[in-house]
Amino acid sequence: MISYTDAGNQTRVSEFLLLGLSDEPELQPLLFGLFLSMYLVTVLGNLLIILAVSSDSHLHTPMYFLLSHLSFSDICFNSTIVPKMLVNIQTENKAISYACCIIQMYFFSVFVCLDSLLLLAMAYDRFVAICHPLHYTVIMNPQLCGLLALISWSLSVLVSLLHSLMVLHLSFCMQTEIPHFFCELVEVLKSACSDALSNYIALYSPEEQGPEWGPEETGQQVFLLSVMSHGCWD
């Protein structure tokens, strides 16, 4: 469904169509059961981690403090995507409203960035533990741990908010199909009919990295930085 405004001949899309993983009817029950099982296992496993860290005083360390934040982020990340996907499979309705798509895209970006930053903080914790074991408790004090978590959350929220607000200024073409099972930022930008160059620039140098550069690649950068830091320990 698409409505039109007279000013500037802009196009305002009221909904997108999420094409999902497959159009085969016989595969839908299998996909529903598979993703429901994975979602429940993921949520239960991360809840157990959070419960164990909070209830056992021996686990009140910087690493497990960051791990509990990572587990909570993982729960939120999956809850942003999977429930809507399951509803679409069950109801055989692929539509998602414009507002819900923007909200899903925002929270997806938040928790992808948050996972990456928390992993980087955990890598720093291991760096201090290995390279400065005698000063570990002094350096990784509760204040620094809280600051690392606060910075991770704040940067994730602000960066994702920036991307989402920039998407709101785009107009969209008649073709509103998204070849994905959720509203991913790059796929939403591809469906825009107005100039999205500034959006791609915000996603880091589209001329060099191409339009596929997004939050996932930020996680890959963090992974490479972590590997390099491990190599420096030797």
Side-chain angles (χ1 to χ4, degrees):
M1 182 183 300
I2 299 176
S3 59
Y4 298 91
T5 59
D6 295 333
N9 197 24
Q10 295 293 312
T11 308
R12 186 177 70 248
V13 180
S14 61
E15 66 180 23
F16 294 95
L17 293 179
L18 300 174
L19 299 184
L21 297 175
S22 174
D23 289 329
E24 299 295 331
E26 60 272 12
L27 291 180
Q28 302 309 308
L30 176 62
L31 291 174
F32 182 86
L34 177 63
F35 278 91
L36 177 60
S37 301
M38 293 172 59
Y39 177 68
L40 293 177
V41 170
T42 299
V43 171
L44 179 60
N46 283 290
L47 283 176
L48 289 176
I49 291 176
I50 295 173
L51 180 63
V53 172
S54 60
S55 60
D56 191 345
S57 60
H58 295 91
L59 300 180
H60 292 175
T61 63
M63 175 57 71
Y64 286 105
F65 170 77
L66 296 171
L67 179 61
S68 62
H69 279 265
L70 186 64
S71 296
F72 178 76
S73 176
D74 196 30
I75 292 175
C76 296
F77 171 80
N78 285 278
S79 298
T80 300
I81 299 173
V82 179
K84 177 59 179 175
M85 176 188 179
L86 296 178
V87 170
N88 287 357
I89 293 176
Q90 188 66 21
T91 61
E92 299 181 354
N93 180 13
K94 299 180 179 181
I96 181 172
S97 68
Y98 176 81
C100 289
C101 183
I102 297 298
I103 292 172
Q104 186 183 65
M105 180 187 65
Y106 168 73
F107 283 107
F108 168 78
S109 299
V110 167
F111 295 115
V112 166
C113 293
L114 181 60
D115 281 355
S116 301
L117 293 173
L118 288 174
L119 288 173
L120 186 59
M122 295 170 72
Y124 175 72
D125 173 81
R126 293 299 87 196
F127 170 79
V128 175
I130 294 175
C131 294
H132 307 283
L134 299 180
H135 301 284
Y136 175 76
T137 55
V138 176
I139 298 175
M140 295 302 298
N141 55 71
Q143 290 76 18
L144 179 60
C145 294
L147 182 62
L148 289 174
L150 179 61
I151 291 175
S152 298
W153 278 95
S154 300
L155 286 178
S156 301
V157 169
L158 293 176
V159 170
S160 301
L161 182 61
L162 171 65
H163 291 310
S164 300
L165 291 177
M166 292 178 68
V167 171
L168 294 178
H169 293 284
L170 299 176
S171 57
F172 293 88
C173 305
M174 295 289 292
Q175 183 69 22
T176 59
E177 293 182 347
I178 297 179
H180 219 315
F181 55 89
F182 68 98
C183 288
E184 200 269 334
L185 177 58
V186 174
E187 296 298 335
V188 173
L189 293 179
K190 288 180 181 179
S191 66
C193 59
S194 58
D195 186 12
L197 177 60
S198 59
N199 299 76
Y200 286 123
I201 291 176
L203 287 174
Y204 301 129
S205 186
E207 293 82 7
E208 296 179 5
Q209 303 294 346
E212 309 301 327
W213 190 255
E216 297 86 350
E217 285 70 18
T218 304
Q220 294 175 9
Q221 282 186 322
V222 171
F223 173 76
L224 291 176
L225 287 173
S226 301
V227 172
M228 290 172 64
S229 65
H230 278 74
C232 292
W233 298 343
D234 298 332

